[in-house]
Amino acid sequence: MRIVPFYRKKKSYSDDKLLAEYLKIQDLDILGELYARYMHLVYGVCLKYFKNREKSQDAVIQIFEKLMVEIKRHEIRNFKSWLFVVTKNHCLMELRKAKPVKTILIASDEELAGFMEKEPELHPIDREQEEINEKALNDCIEKLKEEQKKCIRLFYFENKSYREISVALEIEEKKVKSFIQNAKRNLKICLER
Amino acid sequence: MTHKKRHIKKEDFQRYLENQMTEAERNTFERELQKHPFEAEALEGMQQISPIELKNDLKELKTKLKPVKRKINYRFWAAAATFLLLISAGVMWFQLKDRSPVPEVAQSKSIQQQEEKVDSKMQAAEESLPETSAKENTEIRETAQPEQILLNTEKIKSPESESQINVSSDKKMLKAEKGGLGEQNPQIPDDEVIAGKAISLGDSTPLQGAAIVERGVKNRNESDLKGNSQLKVSATSDSSFVASYAGMENTEFYSDSDSAIVVGVEPKQVAMEEAVSARNVKGKSATGRNVSSVTKVKPDAEAQPRTGMDKFQKYIEENAILPEDYDDKRVVVKVKLKINSEGEITEIQNTNNVDSTLFKRAKDLIKQGPEWVPEFKNGENIESETDLKIVFKK
């Protein structure tokens, strides 16, 4: 049995394991390791809301500090989704402080609990091949509006990137993304019937 | 499960943003993002800045987080330490507040063996109290806090040696000491030592800097932190001594050998001239004078049970039981007590008109309770009235 030093092991531990380890021995370095895995995502989301690098960097640190407190208060099943909610809430709260416009928090504590239970459910079209009911899906796609239909087909069936689709259809990438989102929404409604 | 293959890595973001991916890779990445809202939103944010800025920012953040981890540990301990400090500071402040020199009771502090002697002196002084106290009382009352220092002095015959001077007046012991050491130093005439302890009357805290000075001679000693002072005096001298303290009138006294002298140093007041003039009177009456001024300050007090109001209330509470045949769970009886100057209860009135049985019970309770102390005002006991509330409970 080779003795692998803990800091090496850390890299290959799952989130759950790391979290449990942290709760057990309270070593901040472990929490740091866990946070490091998702820090880029936290930063990215903050950038999206604040549109400011300085502010976003401060937020990343503040959220880490928040983690330390909150981690002990909740039972966290899925660290990543929980971190996402915490990040979003933090950003929204900060924005609310700056502009006293009504900003609704993404989730209350109870909803947070729900989030921590599982990953959000995937859209049928995003699921693994085997799960998809192909016929139903295709029928619904047919029912889509022209642009939405095209985007879906190109993206999912021909595996084209946004960039390629944008070039092919001569529309902005942003528009491509929004068509795809809308299409998915419509497909979901259709499939649930 | 092919999940692992499609798992988004940190580097993927960098590559996507720097356009280092093939179109096929882009599609995979983009489709993957559809499944992960966290990553999706993160990418949106990242696209606000340039890829290089992103790279550097993330590097910076990594280093920034390291001290934060340390800082958070410190913060907890710093907070705990500050909290403790505040608590102890608060406690100390309260202690100091209570110990400020406000004389409420003129208790003389004296060294144990001298207590009886001092007591007898005080009694003598108290008799001479009445006529003088009125004058002085009015004067003193006008000032905020008449500070009084009690100087206990005692003459000890001791040789000029380095041995520890024992502040006791045991004659036998002193003589023995004197005799023994006299052999060692036959030449040197025995000096006497006036040992004094200066304290503030209000709370018996020692006073530093109270001076004893031998009159007419350059001989002076000041009390130390503990209030102790020692003045060496030649045995042949018969001069008087002056005790003084900053801000107070000096008080002169003579030392009687082998006896304790209680000396009070009084606050400087113009009106105190009369009291001070007694300074020139020699002998014990002078000291008696001072002692009397020391003892005269007894505060005004309302009439109350000898054991104190709290104990009395407790006594009432325990014994005021409402008989079963009453409907209510509790009945309040209000009474007015008349107490004469001897402390005797001359009358108990039923002020809220409860029925006579219950009132009689209340009266009995009071009469069977502790004796009462009359009201003390302006130096004497007087008649007074007091209202009491007695709650009868089942």
Side-chain angles (χ1 to χ4, degrees):
Chain A
M1 184 174 81
R2 257 181 55 202
I3 300 168
V4 183
F6 184 66
Y7 69 87
R8 266 192 221 287
K9 272 201 214 158
K10 261 193 289 190
K11 309 272 180 211
S12 52
Y13 272 9
S14 72
D15 286 354
D16 297 328
K17 252 185 167 176
L18 270 191
L19 186 58
E21 194 67 29
Y22 171 69
L23 287 172
K24 197 162 74 175
I25 70 177
Q26 297 285 317
D27 183 1
L28 266 180
D29 283 330
I30 300 178
L31 191 64
E33 175 62 36
L34 188 53
Y35 193 61
R37 292 183 183 179
Y38 301 106
M39 192 182 70
H40 61 295
L41 298 181
V42 176
Y43 185 53
V45 172
C46 291
L47 278 174
K48 176 187 167 185
Y49 287 98
F50 298 139
K51 304 192 198 325
N52 178 304
R53 286 166 73 194
E54 292 278 323
K55 217 171 170 194
S56 306
Q57 286 174 41
D58 291 340
V60 170
I61 299 182
Q62 285 163 17
I63 290 171
F64 181 66
E65 291 171 4
K66 214 187 244 189
L67 272 196
M68 290 193 21
V69 177
E70 296 294 313
I71 249 182
K72 294 169 195 164
R73 286 177 50 195
H74 306 278
E75 223 205 271
I76 303 167
R77 295 285 182 86
N78 188 308
F79 181 74
K80 190 172 143 202
S81 356
W82 179 76
L83 181 59
F84 184 35
V85 176
V86 171
T87 307
K88 253 196 168 171
N89 273 355
H90 179 91
C91 294
L92 290 172
M93 289 243 272
E94 287 295 311
L95 286 178
R96 181 201 278 179
K97 279 189 209 167
K99 273 194 243 170
V101 175
K102 233 186 172 187
T103 328
I104 307 160
L105 284 173
I106 181 182
S108 66
D109 272 2
E110 302 84 64
E111 290 167 85
L112 262 178
F115 256 108
M116 293 184 251
E117 295 294 319
K118 52 179 165 49
E119 292 256 13
E121 214 187 276
L122 287 177
H123 190 281
I125 206 170
D126 291 317
R127 290 182 208 154
E128 294 300 309
Q129 206 60 33
E130 307 82 56
E131 293 174 48
I132 299 171
N133 180 343
E134 290 225 34
K135 184 165 192 314
L137 185 61
N138 280 319
D139 288 343
C140 285
I141 292 173
E142 278 305 308
K143 295 188 184 151
L144 287 173
K145 287 197 208 146
E146 204 43 51
E147 289 132 339
Q148 291 179 10
K149 194 173 8 180
K150 283 191 202 161
C151 289
I152 289 284
R153 287 236 167 86
L154 285 170
F155 189 68
Y156 281 106
F157 297 124
E158 295 182 39
N159 297 325
K160 298 285 179 211
S161 66
Y162 294 140
R163 206 154 52 179
E164 289 178 302
I165 301 172
S166 145
V167 167
L169 300 179
E170 286 177 356
I171 43 182
E172 290 168 25
E173 266 192 62
K174 270 196 218 157
K175 278 249 169 84
V176 174
K177 281 191 216 173
S178 93
F179 283 141
I180 293 175
Q181 295 309 323
N182 291 336
K184 280 171 80 173
R185 198 178 64 236
N186 293 328
L187 283 175
K188 198 164 189 179
I189 299 169
C190 166
L191 285 168
E192 270 158 23
R193 287 216 193 109
Chain B
M1 184 154 99
T2 51
H3 252 260
K4 283 274 175 176
K5 208 158 68 169
R6 301 221 219 127
H7 192 68
I8 303 171
K9 299 187 211 100
K10 287 190 222 175
E11 306 79 58
D12 293 339
F13 281 94
Q14 208 63 41
R15 290 204 307 135
Y16 182 86
L17 290 166
E18 287 174 6
N19 295 315
Q20 290 174 3
M21 284 183 162
T22 63
E23 291 302 335
E25 284 175 316
R26 288 182 78 87
N27 176 273
T28 316
F29 183 72
E30 284 158 2
R31 281 181 67 170
E32 205 50 37
L33 284 191
Q34 296 281 333
K35 302 186 206 170
H36 303 283
F38 199 359
E39 277 85 344
E41 288 204 42
L43 183 74
E44 279 184 59
M46 291 176 193
Q47 283 170 328
Q48 307 269 343
I49 61 176
S50 81
I52 305 179
E53 286 174 327
L54 180 67
K55 208 183 200 173
N56 294 334
D57 289 349
L58 288 175
K59 230 195 228 170
E60 235 187 276
L61 279 172
K62 231 175 159 185
T63 37
K64 269 194 194 171
L65 272 177
K66 290 220 163 91
V68 170
K69 290 185 230 157
R70 310 257 164 270
K71 202 170 78 165
I72 289 174
N73 272 326
Y74 287 156
R75 236 192 254 171
F76 168 70
W77 292 114
T82 316
F83 177 69
L84 271 169
L85 255 165
L86 283 171
I87 298 288
S88 34
V91 168
M92 284 202 292
W93 182 73
F94 269 114
Q95 298 285 16
L96 288 170
K97 214 171 78 145
D98 289 338
R99 282 174 160 276
S100 66
V102 177
E104 290 188 72
V105 175
Q107 292 267 359
S108 69
K109 173 139 182 177
S110 58
I111 303 165
Q112 298 86 325
Q113 294 93 333
Q114 269 88 51
E115 242 168 69
E116 313 92 279
K117 292 185 192 169
V118 169
D119 275 348
S120 61
K121 280 203 184 152
M122 289 224 279
Q123 271 169 21
E126 265 179 20
E127 268 136 33
S128 63
L129 179 73
E131 58 273 19
T132 52
S133 66
K135 272 187 282 181
E136 287 147 4
N137 272 337
T138 47
E139 264 79 87
I140 288 183
R141 286 294 136 69
E142 262 136 45
T143 61
Q145 288 157 9
E147 212 167 285
Q148 301 191 344
I149 302 176
L150 205 62
L151 255 183
N152 270 345
T153 66
E154 178 196 12
K155 221 177 191 183
I156 304 170
K157 290 190 198 264
S158 81
E160 254 188 287
S161 72
E162 283 165 15
S163 61
Q164 192 77 358
I165 294 170
N166 213 343
V167 185
S168 80
S169 70
D170 190 338
K171 286 191 194 180
K172 286 187 205 164
M173 199 164 99
L174 286 173
K175 278 188 181 156
E177 273 190 296
K178 176 189 167 187
L181 287 159
E183 282 159 22
Q184 289 172 18
N185 303 298
Q187 304 286 346
I188 302 162
D190 286 331
D191 274 11
E192 287 172 349
V193 171
I194 307 273
K197 186 160 168 82
I199 55 167
S200 166
L201 271 179
D203 51 6
S204 308
T205 44
L207 288 166
Q208 183 192 15
I212 311 178
V213 174
E214 188 182 354
R215 211 163 231 271
V217 179
K218 226 181 178 183
N219 193 1
R220 173 194 173 89
N221 189 266
E222 281 190 17
S223 61
D224 59 8
L225 276 164
K226 292 186 185 162
N228 293 322
S229 59
Q230 284 161 5
L231 190 68
K232 283 188 188 159
V233 173
S234 118
T236 50
S237 100
D238 64 347
S239 39
S240 61
F241 300 88
V242 179
S244 62
Y245 188 71
M248 309 226 173
E249 287 289 356
N250 300 341
T251 307
E252 188 172 319
F253 65 96
Y254 280 80
S255 63
D256 270 340
S257 53
D258 305 327
S259 63
I261 302 164
V262 172
V263 175
V265 179
E266 282 143 11
K268 278 190 187 186
Q269 287 172 40
V270 174
M272 291 299 290
E273 289 294 305
E274 297 140 26
V276 171
S277 67
R279 169 204 282 201
N280 295 321
V281 178
K282 289 190 182 179
K284 282 198 183 168
S285 61
T287 57
R289 175 108 212 65
N290 290 331
V291 168
S292 75
S293 63
V294 159
T295 56
K296 71 179 175 295
V297 185
K298 191 180 158 189
D300 288 355
E302 285 179 6
Q304 53 177 301
R306 198 175 282 275
T307 53
M309 253 342 240
D310 297 316
K311 286 223 169 98
F312 180 71
Q313 293 286 14
K314 227 186 164 191
Y315 159 75
I316 294 290
E317 220 177 317
E318 280 166 11
N319 292 296
I321 306 193
L322 191 63
E324 280 304 316
D325 50 296
Y326 278 78
D327 291 326
D328 305 311
K329 283 198 192 141
R330 64 195 285 275
V331 179
V332 176
V333 180
K334 287 192 181 165
V335 297
K336 197 192 262 296
L337 258 65
K338 283 204 177 137
I339 301 165
N340 67 9
S341 55
E342 313 280 292
E344 290 166 344
I345 302 172
T346 52
E347 198 181 325
I348 305 179
Q349 283 175 9
N350 178 356
T351 47
N352 67 340
N353 286 320
V354 290
D355 70 275
S356 47
T357 348
L358 210 54
F359 177 59
K360 180 158 192 319
R361 271 202 177 212
K363 271 204 291 191
D364 291 339
L365 217 54
I366 295 173
K367 287 186 183 162
Q368 285 159 19
E371 280 182 10
W372 282 65
V373 170
E375 178 165 333
F376 187 77
K377 197 173 168 125
N378 288 330
E380 52 186 86
N381 292 333
I382 57 171
E383 234 181 62
S384 62
E385 287 175 1
T386 238
D387 292 300
L388 283 181
K389 191 170 93 169
I390 299 175
V391 184
F392 281 86
K393 290 186 253 194
K394 285 200 180 156

